[in-house]
Each structure stands twice: as C-alpha cells, then as structure tokens.
Amino acid sequence: MFTKVLIANRGEIALRIHRACQEMGIRTVAVHSTADATAMHVRLADESVCIGPPSARDSYLNVAAILSAATITGAEAIHPGYGFLSENARFAEMVEAHGLTFIGPSPDHIRMMGDKIAAKDAMRRLGVPLVPGSPGALASLEEAREVADSIKYPVLIKAAAGGGGRGMKVAQDESELEEAWRVARTEAKAAFGDDSVYMEKYLDRPRHIELQVMADGHGNVVHFGERDCSLQRRHQKLVEEAGSPVLSPAQRDALGATVTAALKQLGYRNAGTLEFLYQDEQFAFIEMNTRLQVEHPVTEMVCGVDLVREQLRVAAGERLGYTQDDVRFNGHAIECRITAEDPLTFAPSPGRVTTYHAPGGLGVRVDSALYAGYAVPPHYDSLVGKLIVHGANRAEAIARARRALDEMVVAGINTTIPLHHRIMADPEFQAGDYNIHWLERFVARQEENR
Ligand code: ADP
C-alpha cells in the first residue's frame, strides 16, 4: 500500500479522500490555490503545497505544479477526486510517466469514455443497450435531418466531448433542428474546444439511473447497485438516492450482470459509473464516468463499503477479495447536495460563513469542508456540502433527511437547504413519482408561489 498520497482536488471531496487515507495509515498531501490557503482540506492534510493563483486553470488544473508538488513531497500516488483533472487521460499518462500511480482507470479507458461517441460504440459492441441515435458524429446538418427523421422527433444534439450538461440542445421538431445544431456546436466548441456532436432520441420522461462498479484489473468486477439521480436542474444532479424507488432487485441484478460482463471484457480497472436513462422498463446507456462521483456516499451507506478505500487498494495492485455474492444492499440512502446558491433563483452566494452547525444522530453523514468563519471563494463550484442520510427504508430515510435539514445551520451565505426541505416534504417526491423533468417544474412552481 502507498505511504503517501497527493490529493489533486479541494473542498469536500479532498476531505473525503483524506479521511480514507488516514484510516488506512496513508499520509496525505493537499494542494491548494492562494484562495484556499485556509481551506479545511489544507488544514487537515499532513502536508500542503500551494500550486498557484485562484483561477482553477492556474492551480487545480496546473499539471506541472501538481506533478512538482508530488515529486517534492515524495507522494507515490495521486487521487484526482471528481471534476478538475479526474477525467483527463493526458494527466493520467503524465502521472504514470513520472513514476507515480494515478488512482483511477487506465488512460486509454479514460480517453475512450471521455469521447461519448467512442463510449457508445464500445458499449454497443459489449451488448449494453443504448439510447437510439446517430451511429457516430454528425458530419452535417443534412445528416442530422436524416437521423432525426429515422429516429423521430424530439431529438437531442449532444457534444461528443460533453460534460456538466453543456453542449446539449433539444429539437422538438424539424423547425428547431437547425438552431439546436448550431447552438450545440457553438457551446461544445466554447466549452470543450471540440465541436463534434451526435444525436439521440430525446426521451420525454426518463429517470436517470446509474450503476456503481469497481474492478481490480485482475478480472474481478463487482457492482454496488444503482443510484437514482433523476432530481436534476439544467442536467445537474441535486438529490440522489440508493436504490431507485422504482427498481426491483431482479432488475438491478440483470442490469448489473450485463454491465459487469461488459467491463470484464473491456479489462476495466478502478471505480466507474455507467449512466442510463430508464423509461418504460427499458435501460438505455448514455455515458460512463471513469472516476469517483459526487453522489458515491449513498452507495457507501447501503452497501457498507468505503469506495475510496477500494480505489486505493485496487490502484496499489490489490485484488478485490470479494465477489458479487458478498455485496449486500441494506436499507435506503438519500443525498442532498448543498450549494452556496439562492434556493429559488440559484444566484451564486459565495462569502463568509458566520455560523455552521452540522446535524448528527443515527444514519446521518455530512461531507463538507465548511467551518464557521470560512469564506466560500467565488472561483469554484458552488457545492459546499452533502447531507447523506440512511434509513431502514425510503420513508425512514426521508423522515431522517427532514429532521437533519432542520438541525443544519449554515448562516452568512445563501444555500439550497430550504429547497431540500421543500423537496423532502413534497408528496410526489415522497411517493417516488418523479423523472428527470420533475425538479425543474417543482422549482418553477416555487418561484410562482413566492
Ligand atoms: P453530461 O455528461 O453533460 O452530464 P449526460 O449524457 O450525462 O451529459 O446527460 C445529462 C442529463 O441530460 C441526463 O441525466 C438526462 O437528464 C439528460 N439527458 C441526456 N440524454 C438524454 C436523452 N437522450 N433524452 C432525455 N434526456 C437526456
């Protein structure tokens, strides 16, 4: 096992990784921008190195500075967390070229899944069901028209290099296609420097259901069940659950068997998540994330597994040491993503946190880097914490979430805590009766009733 790991990230996820390392007797190196000198991940780490000015491009994405920090401190491995460099194949290659271990999949697999067209191609060959769409990148508007005619409107134009819901445009009918084509390509070019786009059938009321997998690179692949991440705003997740309120254990087993067989054939290593849309009892693959995800804790709560620990073990060359039959699913877990934003308008709300009180009690977990007196910097993602609750069943988990949200205090900045209160109290949510469009409508209703 490693003796020292550099954590190339910030915020709650840097803390999350630090905690797993500490429990395994691994020393940690934090990296930080000048804006994060007093951040919790820096305070808790065994060592820390400043890697640049506030702008993420010059700090958390500064590959040369991060590799130097690892070399100077004698770290043997780098954990990228999520976001930033976590799905950058070139970075993973450079880490390995420096004789360090990248805690994640092989650069080839990162590259393959980072190109959503290549990812869909691979999954098609491996027998995983897909959303109907263009066979590859769309060469012209003409081709877009032909594909749309064959799969029928509404259609979605998506960026091949996409992420974070950017470069994605719906065309309800032919009159909207040219505009969608143009906007999606312009957005894709601006966000990813690559304007290749492809087309999918736009599903009108799917749920977003994803499967967590872990592979050791020695031929052992297990899944830790599904997460339902249908509660989204602008294609960004806000609340996640494990398991899905609509999936039976038999459906989970069947999907799990397809996915683990595919990844075994692919020779995949480390953690990964396959994302599906689920509608009319059918799963359709949309993309694979080759990293730890924000919502991984709900899986940890129901499976009783530390996914970061598993990532570290696998990266160090260890075998999983358990099989699918050893994975048990216990109760239900819900995560509320708490962001520094206005709970109605979602206007960013960085600034100083004057009071902070985290809830506690049975089945309550808070993953956050907040503390009283901390100033949330304006330069980064607005996620400031995650409240994760576990209960014997979904109703108990919801009751616990409501109780914990009541206890939680974050003063001085606006947060989405009040929105989570209202979601947890909503009868439709409580009935599990929602799809990927539900939250947008819910938020619009809240705005109207203001
Ligand atoms: P990104 O990588 O930008 O997050 P994804 O492909 O993961 O893009 O899609 C993000 C979200 O967009 C999905 O969770 C879903 O809500 C919506 N979405 C994606 N593809 C489709 C589709 N074909 N039909 C309807 N909604 C979709």
Side-chain angles (χ1 to χ4, degrees):
M1 185 45 67
F2 312 113
T3 55
K4 198 188 270 189
V5 166
L6 182 140
I7 302 166
N9 217 302
R10 64 180 301 282
E12 68 86 18
I13 197 61
L15 240 60
R16 166 72 192 86
I17 297 160
H18 167 80
R19 286 170 173 152
C21 288
Q22 290 286 289
E23 291 174 14
M24 295 169 79
I26 301 170
R27 295 177 61 78
T28 57
V29 180
V31 292
H32 67 91
S33 70
T34 50
D36 273 342
T38 58
M40 195 56 122
H41 77 280
V42 177
R43 294 181 167 202
L44 288 190
D46 295 306
E47 290 168 67
S48 64
V49 180
C50 180
I51 49 166
S55 147
R57 201 161 47 116
D58 300 321
S59 51
Y60 297 103
L61 295 171
N62 184 342
V63 172
I66 292 169
L67 291 175
S68 311
T71 307
I72 295 164
T73 55
E76 304 137 85
I78 298 185
H79 196 308
Y82 53 66
F84 294 132
L85 295 166
S86 61
E87 289 177 299
N88 184 321
R90 186 77 197 107
F91 175 65
E93 273 164 2
M94 288 173 78
V95 170
E96 314 250 284
H98 276 70
L100 308 169
T101 301
F102 178 78
I103 300 168
S106 72
D108 286 347
H109 285 149
I110 297 175
R111 190 167 283 125
M112 172 189 278
M113 299 308 166
D115 176 345
K116 294 172 148 201
I117 296 173
K120 285 185 79 170
D121 248 359
M123 291 303 162
R124 183 184 296 115
R125 276 184 278 112
L126 294 165
V128 176
L130 306 181
V131 183
S134 56
L138 294 167
S140 64
L141 178 58
E142 229 6 77
E143 192 189 343
R145 280 216 178 83
E146 281 163 28
V147 177
D149 284 339
S150 74
I151 62 175
K152 305 274 182 284
Y153 289 91
V155 296
L156 189 60
I157 301 193
K158 298 173 83 170
R166 281 169 305 175
M168 209 186 293
K169 284 288 162 260
V170 185
Q172 291 295 343
D173 53 43
E174 202 186 333
S175 72
E176 293 182 7
L177 189 66
E178 188 168 348
E179 171 80 356
W181 158 263
R182 201 179 48 73
V183 176
R185 287 181 29 134
T186 309
E187 254 185 52
K189 181 81 191 170
F192 315 110
D194 173 0
D195 65 1
S196 5
V197 294
Y198 62 106
M199 183 181 285
E200 271 177 7
K201 173 94 186 151
Y202 183 67
L203 302 182
D204 59 344
R205 49 189 163 79
R207 298 179 81 106
H208 173 119
I209 295 182
E210 58 186 35
L211 201 78
Q212 175 70 55
V213 294
M214 187 64 73
D216 65 6
H218 301 286
N220 305 301
V221 184
V222 301
H223 72 85
F224 289 107
E226 82 284 4
R227 294 185 284 260
D228 196 318
C229 313
S230 303
L231 262 60
Q232 304 179 355
R233 181 180 165 270
R234 302 202 172 147
H235 306 302
Q236 303 264 27
K237 301 161 186 165
L238 238 95
V239 173
E240 301 97 343
E241 309 193 47
S244 168
V246 296
L247 222 59
S248 69
Q251 284 173 300
R252 169 195 294 158
D253 289 349
L255 182 69
T258 305
V259 165
T260 50
L263 293 192
K264 210 171 275 189
Q265 226 177 306
L266 203 61
Y268 191 79
R269 183 189 74 209
N270 216 284
T273 298
L274 282 89
E275 298 190 333
F276 295 86
L277 296 180
Y278 177 76
Q279 182 170 314
D280 300 326
E281 314 241 319
Q282 302 278 336
F283 283 102
F285 171 82
I286 47 172
E287 71 161 338
M288 177 168 182
N289 291 317
T290 52
R291 55 169 166 85
L292 190 67
Q293 290 193 271
V294 175
E295 60 272 25
H296 76 277
V298 287
T299 299
E300 296 186 321
M301 303 299 271
V302 295
C303 293
V305 63
D306 179 337
L307 289 170
V308 177
R309 179 173 203 271
E310 295 311 288
Q311 286 194 293
L312 287 158
R313 288 182 51 234
V314 163
E318 289 183 24
R319 286 165 195 273
L320 289 184
Y322 47 82
T323 66
Q324 192 62 53
D325 289 342
D326 298 317
V327 178
R328 292 271 175 275
F329 302 97
N330 170 31
H332 193 90
I334 298 176
E335 172 178 282
C336 298
R337 292 193 192 193
I338 296 162
T339 57
E341 290 175 315
D342 181 280
L344 275 177
T345 65
F346 294 91
S349 178
R352 194 163 301 279
V353 174
T354 50
T355 311
Y356 175 66
H357 176 77
L362 180 65
V364 176
R365 164 176 172 182
V366 178
D367 281 19
S368 171
L370 287 182
Y371 59 86
Y374 173 66
V376 177
H379 315 283
Y380 314 106
D381 190 90
S382 59
L383 185 76
V384 291
K386 307 185 303 203
L387 168 67
I388 305 112
V389 293
H390 181 255
N393 52 47
R394 189 166 183 268
E396 192 176 297
I398 292 172
R400 190 155 282 155
R402 297 178 72 180
R403 187 272 290 168
L405 285 164
D406 265 339
E407 280 181 26
M408 190 163 193
V409 180
V410 182
I413 57 169
N414 289 326
T415 75
T416 45
I417 291 175
L419 173 64
H420 286 296
H421 262 299
R422 294 194 288 268
I423 294 171
M424 294 298 135
D426 186 84
E428 272 175 10
F429 172 75
Q430 291 181 357
D433 184 15
Y434 59 76
N435 60 44
I436 60 164
H437 305 299
W438 186 87
L439 186 67
E440 301 261 4
R441 290 177 199 142
F442 182 80
V443 170
R445 277 205 303 278
Q446 304 285 314
E447 276 254 68
E448 280 162 24
N449 296 340
R450 185 148 52 139

